[in-house]
Amino acid sequence: MAINNNNILLMGLSGSIGDQLTIRQVNGKTIVGRKRGKSTTPPTRKQTAVLERFRIATKLATATWKNPEKKGIYQEIAKKRKKNAYALLCKDAHSIPEIRDIFTNHYKGEVGNVIYIQARDVVQLDSVEVVIIATDNTVLETGRAIAQSTEWAYTCKAANSSLPGTRIVIAANDIPGNQITRDFLLI
C-alpha cells in the first residue's frame, strides 16, 4: 500500500486500474493498494455474525445520515477530530454505548436526590434514561438524566421509603439508535 500526498496525476482519483491496483481517497490522501479478489472459502459463523452486525450498523448509519440535524452533529465532531463524518457515523453505529457505573450515595429515597451515571459512547450519547422500581416491582418513576461535564445526573421526582431491594434501570442511547441497559440493585 502506498500513500500519495501531492502527486498531480493521482490527486482526487479513485477506483481500480485493471486487475492490479485500487485507488481510494481517505481524509484527503490518496491510497494506492493491490486489488483484492473475492475469497474462495465460505465465511465462518463468527465472520457471518460480524457481517450481520455491520449490515445493521450500516442501516442505522444510513437512516441517521438522512436526518440533517444528526448529520450536522457528526460533521461538526468529524471536523474537530479531522475525520470523515460518515466513517465516524458508521463507527458509532457499529458500537454500543457503555454504562460504566452509577453513584447512588446521594440517593436517600427523597424527592430531589441525585443519581449520577457514568456512561459514554464512541461519539456522544443521545440520552440516558432512568427507571426506579420499588421492591414490590412497581415503577416509582422514569425520566431522563441530564448531561454534565463528565457524567449524567438524574434528579428524583418521587419518594421511596424502602431503599434496600430497589432496582435502578439505566438505558443509554446513542445518536444512531443503539441502546444498552443495565440493572442495578440497591442493597
Side-chain angles (χ1 to χ4, degrees), residues 5-102:
N5 287 325
N6 201 13
N7 182 324
I8 196 159
L9 293 174
L10 295 177
M11 196 176 298
L13 186 66
S14 65
S16 295
I17 300 175
D19 288 332
Q20 298 293 318
L21 300 174
T22 297
I23 303 169
R24 58 192 172 106
Q25 302 293 320
V26 177
N27 294 328
K29 293 184 179 181
T30 305
I31 299 178
V32 180
R34 189 182 77 178
K35 186 171 182 179
R36 186 175 179 271
K38 287 190 174 188
S39 176
T40 57
T41 58
T44 64
R45 282 187 197 163
K46 191 173 180 180
Q47 288 171 328
T48 303
V50 168
L51 288 170
E52 180 62 15
R53 280 199 324 263
F54 189 78
R55 186 186 65 73
I56 292 167
T58 303
K59 278 187 170 184
L60 282 173
T62 302
T64 303
W65 194 252
K66 290 177 180 176
N67 180 320
E69 184 181 324
K70 291 178 180 180
K71 181 179 180 178
I73 292 170
Y74 284 96
Q75 288 173 326
E76 185 179 318
I77 293 169
K79 189 174 184 179
K80 289 178 188 173
R81 295 184 186 181
K82 297 181 180 169
K83 301 280 184 188
N84 176 287
Y86 188 74
L88 185 63
L89 170 57
C90 287
K91 182 177 181 179
D92 193 23
H94 197 266
S95 60
I96 297 170
E98 179 185 3
I99 299 170
R100 298 189 126 193
D101 207 353
I102 68 167

Side-chain angles (χ1 to χ4, degrees), residues 115 117 125-131 141-147 152-157 170-171 173-174 179:
I115 298 171
I117 302 132
L125 288 171
D126 187 44
S127 65
V128 173
E129 298 165 7
V130 178
V131 179
E141 63 181 290
T142 63
R144 285 189 171 206
I146 305 297
W152 292 73
Y154 177 74
T155 303
C156 299
K157 299 178 225 57
I170 310 292
N173 306 287
D174 67 8
Q179 182 184 68

